[in-house]
Amino acid sequence: DTEVTQTPKHLVMGMTNKKSLKCEQHMGHRAMYWYKQKAKKPPELMFVYSYEKLSINESVPSRFSPECPNSSLLNLHLHALQPEDSALYLCASSQNQRVLRANEKLFFGSGTQLSVL
Amino acid sequence: KNEVEQSPQNLTAQEGEFITINCSYSVGISALHWLQQHPGGGIVSLFMLSSGKKKHGRLIATINIQEKHSSLHITASHPRDSAVYICASRAIKAADKLIFGTGTRLQVFP
C-alpha cells in the first residue's frame, strides 16, 4: 500500500461549523505533513509531525488544530474558519522528516477541497 | 525573489514533442523534488534528486549542483502528460521543509 488517503474529498462548511479533515497512510512513514494550496499557487506548509510529535507549526492560526493520534493517522480540526481559508488541503508523508535516503520521496494524498461560506 | 524559480510558467506542445522544464534555486540543497499535479489536486512525486540524473519511462530529471539548476524532460509527450509540474527543494540548513517553485502548467495537444 503506497497511498496516502484523505477524507473527505470535498467539504463545504459555514464559519461557525466545526469539522475535521483526515489523513491516513500505512507505509510505516514517521513524518506527516499538512499543506494548504490556493488556486494556481504552490502548496504552503502548515504543520509537520515527526514520530507523532508536532515539530513544525508555520505560524498557522489557532482555528486550525492538528492532531496525530497514532503513526498512521493525521487529523486537521477546523473551527471558526474564514472564507479566505477556502483552499485545497493536502496531506503528505515521508519515511523520516530529516534523513533522506537515496530514493526517498514524498507521498501526497489527493487533497480535500474546502469551501468556507 | 522566490528561492526556487521555474520556467516557463506555461507551456503548450503538440503530441510527440520533447519538453523541457527548468528549475533554478538559490540556496544549497540536500535534495530536489519534481512533482506532478493534475487538475483535481492530487500530487505525484516523480523524482527526488541529489545529484546526476534519473530516468523513469519517458521522464528524465537532471540536476547540476554547482549551477543550482535542475531540468525535467519529457520525451514523446502525450496529452495525458498535461499537468502542473512543480520543483521543490530541501535546503541543507532547513531539511524539514520543501521550498516550492511556482509550477509550470503544461498542455499537450493531440
Side-chain angles (χ1 to χ4, degrees):
Chain A
D1 184 357
T2 58
E3 280 192 357
V4 176
T5 304
Q6 285 188 246
T7 56
K9 291 196 185 309
H10 301 275
L11 180 61
V12 179
M13 60 187 290
M15 290 190 283
T16 57
N17 292 158
K18 283 186 184 182
K19 297 285 184 184
S20 296
L21 309 185
K22 295 187 185 301
C23 175
E24 192 168 357
Q25 56 86 17
H26 296 286
M27 295 177 278
H29 289 174
R30 305 312 299 267
M32 294 185 77
Y33 310 77
W34 279 116
Y35 288 90
K36 173 183 176 181
Q37 188 178 26
K38 302 285 268 184
K40 299 190 179 181
K41 298 285 186 186
E44 298 170 15
L45 183 65
M46 299 175 73
F47 302 104
V48 181
Y49 271 82
S50 179
Y51 289 84
E52 296 138 63
K53 288 186 168 37
L54 182 65
S55 67
I56 293 178
N57 176 342
E58 289 286 286
S59 303
V60 179
S62 60
R63 57 186 184 268
F64 296 91
S65 174
E67 179 199 17
C68 190
N70 60 55
S71 59
S72 299
L73 291 175
L74 185 65
N75 298 322
L76 186 63
H77 302 298
L78 314 172
H79 175 52
L81 294 194
Q82 304 295 310
E84 60 264 28
D85 296 321
S86 299
L88 180 70
Y89 288 84
L90 291 159
C91 173
S93 71
S94 63
Q95 185 67 39
N96 288 291
Q97 184 180 348
R98 288 175 182 265
V99 176
L100 293 172
R101 296 177 192 162
N103 293 309
E104 183 173 339
K105 292 180 180 179
L106 269 184
F107 291 80
F108 283 86
S110 53
T112 294
Q113 188 66 53
L114 173 67
S115 296
V116 182
L117 304 178
Chain B
K1 186 175 184 232
N2 201 23
E3 287 184 31
V4 179
E5 299 269 346
Q6 281 187 243
S7 63
Q9 286 190 328
N10 295 284
L11 184 55
T12 58
Q14 288 295 125
E15 184 173 356
E17 284 185 10
F18 180 84
I19 286 161
T20 296
I21 299 170
N22 295 300
C23 177
S24 297
Y25 51 91
S26 56
V27 297
I29 65 166
S30 58
L32 186 122
H33 295 255
W34 279 103
L35 309 167
Q36 180 194 55
Q37 187 170 30
H38 278 104
I43 292 180
V44 174
S45 180
L46 300 174
F47 297 104
M48 197 279 292
L49 291 164
S50 54
S51 64
K53 175 179 172 179
K54 285 189 177 178
K55 185 176 191 291
H56 186 259
R58 295 180 294 106
L59 301 178
I60 303 166
T62 62
I63 189 166
N64 184 319
I65 298 293
Q66 286 74 30
E67 294 186 4
K68 294 187 171 63
H69 181 268
S70 178
S71 293
L72 177 68
H73 306 284
I74 305 175
T75 61
S77 60
H78 190 276
R80 65 174 174 267
D81 296 326
S82 299
V84 176
Y85 292 84
I86 306 169
C87 71
S89 67
R90 282 185 188 262
I92 291 172
K93 294 185 178 179
D96 306 356
K97 304 179 189 180
L98 288 182
I99 309 296
F100 289 87
T102 50
T104 294
R105 191 170 300 271
L106 171 66
Q107 284 188 296
V108 181
F109 293 99

